[in-house]
Amino acid sequence: MPDPIWIKTLHVIAVIAWMAGLLYLPRLYVYHVSASPGGELSETLKIMERRLLRLIMNPAMLATWGFGLWAAVASGHYAAGWFHVKLVAVVALTVFHGFLAVWRKGFEADRNRRPQRFYRIANEVPTLIMIVIVVLAVVRPF
């Protein structure tokens, strides 16, 4: 079995990559709202959004889950109360990831009906959840 510090290291790297995508994709949607459907900017944003989701975010999310669960089992933290709350928060990030994927399909088909403000607010969701996760993982309050 690999040294637990390497499992934790790979988990943190995956989390950083996933969070980068969770923060950047809604920002792309903010710009996409203003782009003319079928226009050059819209088509460029579609490519960027698809590649970000498929090539970075999806693998990073899977790696985050895989290495995170592996680290939790290897360290015994899976039984701690703080870990259960952290797990709920990670599930919330995963659900948000799913919403981002659905919204991307709407943009891909030129069917977005939401205003920029919606995506600006959505852009704050992963930050708030991340704060909860970091506090739980570092402070371990219970």
Side-chain angles (χ1 to χ4, degrees), residues 1-139:
M1 176 177 240
D3 185 340
I5 197 69
W6 283 107
I7 299 167
K8 190 174 186 180
T9 300
L10 293 171
H11 175 63
V12 170
I13 291 168
V15 167
I16 291 169
W18 188 27
M19 284 304 304
L22 289 170
L23 295 168
Y24 187 47
L25 191 54
R27 177 55 48 188
L28 289 176
Y29 295 164
V30 168
Y31 302 136
H32 204 150
V33 168
S34 299
S36 300
E40 185 178 345
L41 177 58
S42 178
E43 296 307 309
T44 299
L45 288 168
K46 287 177 187 181
I47 292 167
M48 292 172 65
E49 293 157 0
R50 183 177 61 250
R51 288 181 179 169
L52 177 61
L53 187 66
R54 290 185 181 168
L55 301 178
I56 297 172
M57 293 174 65
N58 288 345
M61 178 187 64
L62 293 173
T64 295
W65 272 101
F67 290 121
L69 291 173
W70 189 0
V73 170
S75 67
H77 292 313
Y78 64 89
W82 66 266
F83 178 77
H84 296 148
V85 177
K86 178 186 173 194
L87 192 59
V88 169
V90 177
V91 167
L93 278 181
T94 304
V95 169
F96 182 75
H97 181 118
F99 280 118
L100 289 174
V102 169
W103 299 336
R104 189 200 68 78
K105 288 181 181 181
F107 278 110
E108 184 74 30
D110 294 322
R111 284 186 282 113
N112 174 60
R113 301 288 180 251
R114 293 179 178 88
Q116 274 189 350
R117 181 166 166 72
F118 175 84
Y119 297 110
R120 288 182 191 279
I121 293 169
N123 197 81
E124 304 306 321
V125 170
T127 302
L128 297 173
I129 298 171
M130 177 194 62
I131 291 168
V132 170
I133 291 170
V134 170
V135 168
L136 290 165
V138 174
V139 178

